[in-house]
């Protein structure tokens, strides 16, 4: 039979081993919890917030179309004048072709309109 001292020593060893396991588990759980905290999903914006952006995009598109049409009309009116040289006709038709092109990017069209008319938005307001 085992003496009291041997039994107590075994119990102490067992309790020490049991204590070690939970400490490791505690570290793992805290690390896992930290990871979970870092991986929070971003909150989704409500669908209503997307609609104003779409409306703003549509308004910009219609504004651009108005500005484009105004510039095209001004160029065509300029061609109808009597005192137009062949160089002016050539340059104007090139500009008209680019502005009417479906494949030309909007940025290029805006730049061309700015080069030809300067501040075309201000001119549009003055003429109206």
């Amino acid at each position: 039979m085992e003496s009291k001292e041997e039994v107590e020593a075994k119990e102490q060893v067992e309790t020490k081993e049991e204590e070690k396991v939970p400490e490791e588990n505690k570290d793992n759980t805290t690390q896992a919890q930290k990871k979970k905290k870092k991986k929070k999903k971003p909150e989704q914006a409500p669908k209503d917030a997307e609609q104003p952006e779409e409306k703003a995009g549509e308004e910009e598109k219609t504004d651009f179309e108005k500005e484009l049409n105004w510039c095209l009309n001004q160029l065509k009116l300029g061609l109808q004048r009597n005192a137009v040289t062949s160089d002016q006709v050539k340059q104007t038709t090139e500009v008209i072709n680019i502005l009417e092109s479906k494949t030309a990017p909007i940025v290029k069209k805006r730049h061309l309109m700015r080069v030809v008319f300067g501040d075309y938005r201000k001119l549009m307001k003055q003429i109206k």
Side-chain angles (χ1 to χ4, degrees):
M1 290 193 78
E2 298 176 359
S3 67
K4 282 185 174 180
E5 293 173 356
E6 290 177 351
V7 172
E8 288 177 3
K10 282 184 180 178
E11 287 178 1
Q12 288 177 352
V13 169
E14 287 177 1
T15 55
K16 287 181 181 178
E17 288 176 3
E18 288 175 3
E19 289 175 0
K20 289 180 183 178
V21 172
E23 287 177 10
E24 292 173 1
N25 288 340
K26 286 180 184 177
D27 290 339
N28 290 339
T29 55
T30 55
Q31 289 175 357
Q33 289 173 350
K34 289 177 184 178
K35 288 180 182 177
K36 286 181 182 178
K37 288 180 182 178
K38 290 179 183 178
K39 292 183 179 180
K40 285 185 180 180
K41 295 180 182 178
E43 295 182 17
Q44 294 179 351
K47 293 181 181 179
D48 297 338
E50 294 175 7
Q51 291 175 354
E53 292 174 8
E54 291 175 5
K55 289 179 182 177
E58 290 174 11
E59 288 177 12
E60 288 177 14
K61 205 173 210 180
T62 56
D63 288 345
F64 172 71
E65 289 174 3
K66 288 177 185 177
E67 294 163 356
L68 181 64
N69 289 333
W70 182 85
C71 289
L72 286 169
N73 287 335
Q74 294 299 313
L75 290 169
K76 290 175 183 177
L77 287 173
L79 286 177
Q80 292 175 356
R81 290 190 0 219
N82 291 336
V84 180
T85 65
S86 62
D87 288 337
Q88 289 175 333
V89 171
K90 184 179 176 183
Q91 289 175 349
T92 304
T93 53
E94 286 177 10
V95 171
I96 290 172
N97 289 337
I98 293 171
L99 293 178
E100 289 178 339
S101 172
K102 302 276 183 188
T103 58
I106 293 175
V107 175
K108 183 175 183 178
K109 291 179 182 182
R110 283 192 190 273
H111 175 70
L112 193 57
M113 291 170 11
R114 175 80 55 189
V115 168
V116 172
F117 293 101
D119 191 359
Y120 56 89
R121 292 178 183 143
K122 186 177 177 182
L123 290 173
M124 286 175 65
K125 289 178 183 177
Q126 287 177 353
I127 292 175
K128 286 184 179 184

